Amino acid sequence: MDFDELSKWNDEMVEKYHSEGTLFESANPLLRYIEKTRAKTIVKLANVSERDSVIDVGCGEGYMLSLLPKAKKIVGLDISKVALNRAKKFLQDRKEIELVLGDAQGLRFEDNSFDVAICSETLEHVPNPRAVIKELHRILKQNGNLVVSIPDEARIKQIMRIIKFFKLERFLHAARKHETYEWHLQEADMTFLKSISSEDFSIGVVKRIPTIIGYRYVVSMNPL
């Protein structure tokens, strides 16, 4: 898909799967708590200071951006116009945050221009995740910090089978009623992340969210 096709497709996915809000806004208090815990873990590992230039690649509706402290520069990038319009409304009191329409696979920023990059639940949604990693490596400073969040797809499917077996479908979020999920173009897990990033980044801290069942990973990474 070219940029326009990918942008249109993501708009359709946002309207289809986030019609009831994002996981951060879920009516299910457990899901809402888990996702907010994940977001806070990302912000903690990002360790943003007021001197930093920060980018959130795949910022969606802007929840992660809303948690970031003030910094020298904060950019949120997404390929979905629908998501960015929602982010603009959600972040209307954060005038210092710049929202940009763009493709994570080809970032229009100069080399070595950011101290911190966040890429949350994005790599599994793109046709070429390796290209995203290479671009993140290019725009990060040598001593920069990348924080990635990905699902553990196999664990999610296992949890869904258990939930359905015990007829507890009410615990499934509207966006994920079936094991197959058209918005995910990649089968993400730690093996996937290592395979696309090992040439460019070393892996630091790895957190499972939630701690016990761990169907999300939050990972800090540093440029090689």
Side-chain angles (χ1 to χ4, degrees):
M1 290 187 282
D2 63 20
F3 177 86
D4 289 336
E5 291 171 328
L6 193 58
S7 180
K8 182 180 178 182
W9 179 70
N10 273 276
D11 282 343
E12 292 170 355
M13 294 296 100
V14 171
E15 290 176 331
K16 181 176 182 179
Y17 290 111
H18 288 182
S19 62
E20 298 179 17
T22 66
L23 282 169
F24 301 112
E25 304 162 304
S26 173
N28 185 311
L30 178 60
L31 276 177
R32 195 167 62 245
Y33 170 78
I34 289 171
E35 290 307 304
K36 289 187 175 183
T37 298
R38 180 178 64 84
K40 290 176 182 177
T41 302
I42 291 171
V43 172
K44 182 177 180 179
L45 291 181
N47 193 29
V48 173
S49 79
E50 61 183 12
R51 302 181 302 276
D52 288 335
S53 295
V54 186
I55 184 167
D56 183 357
V57 174
C59 67
E61 285 94 333
Y63 183 79
M64 199 72 61
L65 290 168
S66 73
L67 299 182
L68 293 176
K70 289 191 175 181
K72 182 174 70 176
K73 178 180 181 181
I74 302 177
V75 176
L77 177 140
D78 205 278
I79 199 167
S80 168
K81 296 175 184 177
V82 173
L84 287 176
N85 284 336
R86 293 181 184 178
K88 185 176 181 180
K89 293 178 182 178
F90 184 62
L91 299 166
Q92 59 184 328
D93 295 329
R94 295 290 300 270
K95 305 298 184 184
E96 79 279 16
I97 297 176
E98 178 186 2
L99 296 173
V100 177
L101 178 69
D103 186 352
Q105 300 166 117
L107 298 171
R108 296 181 180 180
F109 300 100
E110 294 182 0
D111 296 358
N112 309 309
S113 53
F114 290 94
D115 301 285
V116 179
I118 294 169
C119 188
S120 171
E121 307 295 304
T122 298
L123 293 169
E124 66 274 14
H125 293 278
V126 298
N128 189 349
R130 172 72 182 133
V132 178
I133 289 292
K134 288 182 71 67
E135 283 293 88
L136 288 166
H137 184 270
R138 180 183 64 79
I139 66 169
L140 269 176
K141 297 177 182 178
Q142 185 57 43
N143 61 344
N145 180 23
L146 169 63
V147 181
V148 170
S149 173
I150 57 170
D152 184 341
E153 193 67 25
R155 182 66 64 89
I156 289 174
K157 290 179 178 180
Q158 181 183 40
I159 292 168
M160 289 182 71
R161 287 193 290 269
I162 293 171
I163 286 174
K164 288 187 176 183
F165 178 81
F166 288 104
K167 302 185 184 304
L168 298 172
E169 284 87 349
R170 67 183 181 277
F171 289 106
L172 293 175
H173 182 62
R176 195 72 188 265
K177 294 293 187 184
H178 306 285
E179 287 186 37
T180 55
Y181 187 27
E182 61 182 319
W183 205 357
H184 282 185
L185 301 180
Q186 313 294 331
E187 290 276 328
D189 58 15
M190 280 303 297
T191 300
F192 159 79
L193 182 59
K194 290 175 182 177
S195 71
I196 63 173
S197 66
S198 60
E199 293 182 16
D200 299 297
F201 289 92
S202 62
I203 290 178
V205 177
V206 178
K207 297 280 189 180
R208 272 190 172 274
I209 307 295
T211 304
I212 298 174
I213 59 175
Y215 66 89
R216 294 276 195 271
Y217 289 103
V218 176
V219 184
S220 67
M221 310 173 75
N222 299 108
L224 294 173

